Amino acid sequence: MSNLKDSNDNDESRSGGIQVIARASAVMRALGRNPQGLSLAAIAQDVGLARSTVQRIVAALETEQMVEAMRPGNGFRLGPALAQLIHQTHTDIISIARKSLETLCDHLQESVTLSCISGKHTVVIDRVIAERELRVVFPMGQSLPMYATADGKALLSTLTDEQVREWLGDRLDPLTDATHDIESLLVELAQIRANGFALDHQEHTVGISACAILIPTFMGPHAVAVVAPTSRFQIRSFEFKQALKECKESIAKLAGGN
């Protein structure tokens, strides 16, 4: 009888632990989908849990720096510890690509990023910020919608159209007036597969545009993007593409991709 009771207690403890992990993961995914931050009430609505439960989970995650509070009253967002974990996971690729990213940034005087697929989102795992007055500072470690960013679309181009529909569904939430719907996205993905470049013309953020190129590596596909104010991007897009090609060749020689 005692052994049976101990077994039941262990099963219940294991089940409770799994539930806590699942709920914490759901909270972090909700914040990943909303890099601008969410209030406790908004998180609770997104994940379908009581606000008091979400508050306890967020407090525990905040202690571990997996989430962080924004300005008072502005809710919570993913914290620095998550970006650090992602960085450590991809440290070999980051160390290989870092010099090429710095060279690209110095040459163009624009911010550049290195991204990969995480789940069904794009995550920036490294960046070099341009040293100029008007520049773009991209978030590290936050999940971004693949359909509305240049690096995300470059990574999506590695999938078939059927896989893209399965991942994204038939309706894409518009972030700006320029955001694609699923049909126009599939048309552009075919163009990216043909010419190797993905563009973001203010599809994620008004006033910001980007150009990205796919980088095959021994750890799977990555993407390098040049991100700039749209006013400069419009007159330098050809220059960006040429510089990205050189950056790809530099990284590919060391990263073992085909």
Side-chain angles (χ1 to χ4, degrees), residues 23 26 41-51 54:
R23 288 177 170 180
I43 298 172
Q45 182 177 11
D46 189 293
V47 301
L49 294 172
R51 188 183 185 280
V54 168

Side-chain angles (χ1 to χ4, degrees), residues 143-174:
S143 298
L144 300 170
M146 300 184 75
Y147 61 85
T149 59
D151 50 351
K153 288 186 286 184
L155 293 165
L156 276 178
S157 72
T158 64
L159 307 178
T160 66
D161 285 358
E162 291 73 18
Q163 289 172 320
V164 172
R165 285 186 183 275
E166 181 182 346
W167 275 33
L168 302 182
D170 289 328
R171 185 184 182 282
L172 307 180
D173 292 333

Side-chain angles (χ1 to χ4, degrees), residues 114-189:
L114 175 68
S115 307
C116 68
I117 297 174
S118 178
K120 297 181 181 179
H121 292 78
T122 307
V123 175
V124 175
I125 59 173
D126 200 12
R127 65 183 182 181
V128 184
I129 306 300
E131 295 294 335
R132 60 189 304 171
E133 187 172 345
L134 181 60
R135 60 186 182 171
V136 178
V137 179
F138 227 70
M140 279 275 289
Q142 293 185 342
S143 298
L144 300 170
M146 300 184 75
Y147 61 85
T149 59
D151 50 351
K153 288 186 286 184
L155 293 165
L156 276 178
S157 72
T158 64
L159 307 178
T160 66
D161 285 358
E162 291 73 18
Q163 289 172 320
V164 172
R165 285 186 183 275
E166 181 182 346
W167 275 33
L168 302 182
D170 289 328
R171 185 184 182 282
L172 307 180
D173 292 333
L175 304 177
T176 72
D177 291 342
T179 305
H180 280 292
D181 59 26
I182 188 65
E183 299 303 332
S184 62
L185 174 66
L186 293 177
V187 171
E188 184 177 359
L189 291 180

Side-chain angles (χ1 to χ4, degrees), residues 9-145:
D9 288 345
N10 289 337
D11 288 344
E12 290 177 5
S13 176
R14 189 180 302 112
S15 177
I18 292 171
Q19 185 183 61
V20 169
I21 293 171
R23 288 177 170 180
S25 298
V27 168
M28 293 176 68
R29 282 195 294 269
L31 293 176
R33 292 191 296 269
N34 296 273
Q36 76 280 5
L38 289 175
S39 66
L40 289 174
I43 298 172
Q45 182 177 11
D46 189 293
V47 301
L49 294 172
R51 188 183 185 280
S52 58
T53 301
V54 168
Q55 187 171 13
R56 289 194 298 271
I57 293 171
V58 168
L61 291 172
E62 190 177 12
T63 300
E64 299 299 325
Q65 295 187 309
M66 300 301 284
V67 306
E68 63 181 3
M70 300 173 66
R71 293 195 305 260
N74 284 9
F76 296 86
R77 64 187 174 193
L78 293 176
L82 183 61
Q84 184 180 16
L85 287 174
I86 293 171
H87 186 281
Q88 290 169 344
T89 301
H90 295 268
T91 185
D92 289 338
I93 293 299
I94 291 170
S95 61
I96 288 171
R98 184 68 188 186
K99 181 62 177 177
S100 298
L101 296 179
E102 291 174 347
T103 300
L104 181 64
C105 178
D106 289 344
H107 173 60
L108 296 176
Q109 287 297 294
E110 301 288 1
S111 298
V112 301
T113 64
L114 175 68
S115 307
C116 68
I117 297 174
S118 178
K120 297 181 181 179
H121 292 78
T122 307
V123 175
V124 175
I125 59 173
D126 200 12
R127 65 183 182 181
V128 184
I129 306 300
E131 295 294 335
R132 60 189 304 171
E133 187 172 345
L134 181 60
R135 60 186 182 171
V136 178
V137 179
F138 227 70
M140 279 275 289
Q142 293 185 342
S143 298
L144 300 170

